[in-house]
Every structure is written in structure tokens, then in C-alpha cells.
């Protein structure tokens, strides 16, 4: 019962923080992103999580990491190219089924190839709250975050598919043993 209460606290406190941080942001945002996390692919054989509860292969190279996020893009019109400020936050289950929370701010660059297809990249500095498999203590850690995405604009909303490269030892207790590729998607309106 005590571990369930601890997990409830670990999930509730970051969610409340994210709610209060992002509460006023929609007033100024030109675009709202609903992030859907994701899948992780471990690039090193020794870094695979063989005992991952949600692994997709026998050796634990590919792991399902479910989660949700919320972000705001402050460009005046979501159909414009160029740079804009962004804030993002979210929570997902890491490869050991422990909650991993992050919130941060940075910049987004978007380039349309035609009226409906675009590529974008996000560069953020984030604070993470998570742990690794060896250490059950949660830590608040600053971490860099970069992703590249390809999207399609459907008029009232757009869908973007992202890949992030996360180097070994980059912080937050999530990359202690291997470099990773993290896959996610966002529905934006």
C-alpha cells in the first residue's frame, strides 16, 4: 500500500506543477500541442533493458513508454515558417515502468515544403524528475532536449512525428547505460 501511495504522490505533484506552469500560457499561444509518447530504442547491446515490463522484443532493445504531454508554440499563426518560443511538459513511464516527468522551454524552427507538409526541430532546456533502475530515489535534473519532426497540416489540426536522440549520461537518470532514440507524436491545433 505504501508503494502505491508513493507512486500516486510522484504522479500527482508533477501534474499539478505542470498545470499551474502552463495554466496562463494558452492566452498567448498560437498553437497547442498534445504530445503522445512513445517508443524507445536502445542503441547499445549492453544498455538494453532486458527486464523491462513493456519491452517489445526479447532482448529489451525496443520498449513501449506510454505517456502524455502538453506544449505551447507562441508563433502568431501556426501556418508560418521560422522560429518561435515553445514550452513543453509531460510525463511517461520509463523503461522500468517508473514515472518520468519533464517541463521546459526553448525554441522551435518550422519549415513548410508545401502548403501541408513541414519539418521542424525543437531545442529545449528542461527540468526532469525521474530515477533509473539502480536508484529508486527521484532527482530533479536539468537536461538538454532536442527532437526533429515531420508533420502534415490537415487544416484545423496538424500531426507531427518526432524522433529524439538522447545521449548516454545526458541526465535525469534515464540514459545511464546507453544512447537512445525516442519516438513520439503530437497533435497540434
Amino acid at each position: 500500500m505504501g508503494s502505491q501511495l508513493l507512486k500516486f504522490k510522484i504522479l500527482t505533484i508533477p501534474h499539478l506543477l505542470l498545470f499551474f506552469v502552463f495554466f496562463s500560457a494558452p492566452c498567448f499561444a498560437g498553437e497547442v500541442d498534445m504530445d503522445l509518447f512513445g517508443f524507445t530504442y536502445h542503441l547499445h547491446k549492453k544498455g538494453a533493458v532486458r527486464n523491462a515490463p513493456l519491452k517489445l522484443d526479447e532482448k529489451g532493445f525496443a520498449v513501449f513508454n506510454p505517456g502524455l504531454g502538453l506544449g505551447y508554440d507562441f508563433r502568431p499563426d501556426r501556418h508560418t515558417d521560422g522560429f518561435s518560443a515553445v514550452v513543453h511538459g509531460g510525463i511517461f513511464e520509463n523503461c522500468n515502468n517508473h514515472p518520468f516527468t519533464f517541463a521546459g522551454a526553448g525554441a522551435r524552427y518550422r519549415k513548410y515544403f508545401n502548403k501541408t507538409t513541414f519539418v521542424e526541430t525543437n531545442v529545449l532546456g528542461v527540468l526532469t524528475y525521474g530515477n533509473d533502475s539502480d536508484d529508486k530515489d527521484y532527482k530533479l535534473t536539468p537536461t538538454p532536449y532536442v527532437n526533429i519532426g515531420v508533420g502534415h497540416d490537415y487544416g484545423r489540426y496538424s500531426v507531427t512525428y518526432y524522433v529524439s536522440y538522447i545521449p548516454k549520461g545526458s541526465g535525469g537518470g534515464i540514459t545511464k547505460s546507453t544512447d537512445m532514440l525516442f519516438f513520439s507524436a503530437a497533435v497540434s491545433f
Side-chain angles (χ1 to χ4, degrees), residues 71-93:
Y72 299 110
D73 183 329
F74 296 96
R75 71 184 65 239
D77 176 12
R78 69 182 185 89
H79 299 99
T80 58
D81 289 337
F83 286 97
S84 65
V86 293
V87 293
H88 271 271
I91 185 167
F92 60 89
E93 294 286 321

Side-chain angles (χ1 to χ4, degrees), residues 35-41 54-56 62-69 91-95 97 102 145 162-164 181-186:
D35 299 319
L36 307 168
F37 307 115
F39 296 95
T40 301
Y41 185 78
L54 297 176
K55 64 184 177 183
L56 300 173
V63 179
F64 178 54
N65 303 104
L68 295 172
I91 185 167
F92 60 89
E93 294 286 321
N94 68 13
C95 294
N97 260 21
F102 71 94
Y145 180 73
Y162 294 104
V163 63
S164 307
L181 294 177
F182 187 71
F183 299 92
S184 61

Side-chain angles (χ1 to χ4, degrees), residues 6 96 98 131-138:
L6 177 62
N96 292 300
H98 299 153
N131 70 346
D132 59 34
S133 58
D134 300 330
D135 184 4
K136 301 301 183 214
D137 293 328
Y138 280 75

Side-chain angles (χ1 to χ4, degrees), residues 97-120:
N97 260 21
H98 299 153
F100 185 87
T101 306
F102 71 94
R108 170 179 287 166
Y109 179 77
R110 178 177 291 157
K111 176 66 176 159
Y112 274 85
F113 293 116
N114 55 43
K115 290 185 178 185
T116 60
T117 307
F118 59 89
V119 63
E120 68 183 31

